[in-house]
Amino acid sequence: PNDVIIDNYVARRDKGYHVGDTIQIFNHPFRISGIVEHGKGGSIYVPIRTLGAFDGAEDNASFFYVKADNPSPQTLNLIRDEIHATPGLSQYMVETLDEVLGQMTPEHLPGFNIALRVVVSIAFIVGFLVIFQSMYTAVLERTREIGILKSLGASKLYIVNVVLRETALFSIAGIIVGLILTFVIKAVLNQRYPTLPFPVEVPWMLYTAAIAFIGAMLGALYPAWKAAQKDPIDALAYE
């Protein structure tokens, strides 16, 4: 009853467990009696009676998994109705696998979407402020160069265009580097946690790239406008 089988992922992830070692599960010591390859439906296997004792349901089943020959919605509804029509089972909850997994989506996690929007908003604001400060500093450092351009006939629109083009170039480069790092981190996580999925979807890539680019351009608007308003004589005399 106190033996456990773990997969090679758990054995490698924690302390380098070997057969015969002791591992703590639910604050209870178990002896590792075997190590199997990961991907078999679970990572830690304990006797069902022992697990039932932990859950307070010893010698009782907590779940029944029923496999349907035809997994169509009509068939699943018929199976559900038949289970509920069986005497003594009318009060039991019967859910399909899709319904169970659907409860784990962000829409069913309280406050998840709100927290996600807050994080995205903070990232947008931070990106805006960083770009704003960087471009404003760059404009101040190039005051004489801007004065030279304006003395040579450069228009306000041209100065704004120069600043915004530089910002756009840095933004695109930053987005590319960020996406590359994303896939590098994904590869590391897949290697470290082979049983967990880490999807990187194209819509989210486009969404985050758009947020980064728009935030950068908004952050550069005021420095660009400030540069265009500089008087050529004052700019040339700037030290």
Side-chain angles (χ1 to χ4, degrees):
N2 295 315
D3 278 0
V4 62
I5 296 176
I6 63 176
D7 65 10
N8 56 345
Y9 161 63
V10 174
R12 183 179 72 249
R13 178 195 62 189
D14 295 330
K15 302 177 181 179
Y17 288 114
H18 299 87
V19 173
D21 291 345
T22 301
I23 185 174
Q24 292 287 330
I25 302 175
F26 298 129
N27 295 321
H28 183 81
F30 281 86
R31 174 186 171 274
I32 299 175
S33 61
I35 298 176
V36 298
E37 183 181 1
H38 68 267
K40 304 300 183 183
S43 296
I44 300 176
Y45 305 87
V46 299
I48 191 170
R49 290 183 181 277
T50 304
L51 186 61
F54 283 137
D55 291 339
E58 192 171 5
D59 295 328
N60 292 283
S62 300
F63 293 91
F64 289 98
Y65 291 93
V66 180
K67 182 178 180 180
D69 293 334
N70 180 9
S72 66
Q74 295 80 7
T75 302
L76 296 179
N77 287 331
L78 289 174
I79 294 174
R80 190 200 313 263
D81 294 339
E82 186 174 350
I83 292 174
H84 283 155
T86 302
L89 299 181
S90 60
Q91 301 299 320
Y92 279 70
M93 180 181 297
V94 181
E95 294 180 309
T96 65
L97 183 60
D98 289 340
E99 291 172 346
V100 173
L101 295 177
Q103 299 298 319
M104 303 177 187
T105 59
E107 289 74 15
H108 293 86
L109 298 177
F112 182 86
N113 284 330
I114 296 176
L116 184 61
R117 294 189 186 99
V118 170
V119 172
V120 172
S121 300
I122 292 175
F124 181 86
I125 294 172
V126 170
F128 170 84
L129 293 176
V130 169
I131 292 294
F132 174 84
Q133 184 180 20
S134 300
M135 296 312 300
Y136 191 78
T137 303
V139 168
L140 290 179
E141 293 176 347
R142 300 172 189 170
T143 299
R144 288 182 59 85
E145 288 84 346
I146 294 173
I148 293 173
L149 287 175
K150 299 200 71 172
S151 65
L152 293 174
S155 64
K156 293 182 180 180
L157 182 60
Y158 178 83
I159 300 299
V160 171
N161 187 33
V162 168
V163 177
L164 292 183
R165 277 188 298 170
E166 180 182 0
T167 303
L169 180 62
F170 279 123
S171 300
I172 293 173
I175 290 170
I176 293 174
V177 172
L179 291 177
I180 292 174
L181 290 176
T182 297
F183 285 103
V184 170
I185 294 174
K186 172 181 167 64
V188 173
L189 291 176
N190 285 334
Q191 181 67 26
R192 185 74 175 84
Y193 305 101
T195 60
L196 299 178
F198 297 96
V200 179
E201 300 178 356
V202 174
W204 269 103
M205 293 169 58
L206 298 177
Y207 177 65
T208 52
I211 289 179
F213 187 80
I214 293 173
M217 298 308 291
L218 290 177
L221 277 178
Y222 178 76
W225 176 82
K226 192 72 174 178
Q229 299 302 315
K230 288 186 178 296
D231 183 87
I233 297 178
D234 293 339
L236 289 171
Y238 181 82
E239 292 294 338

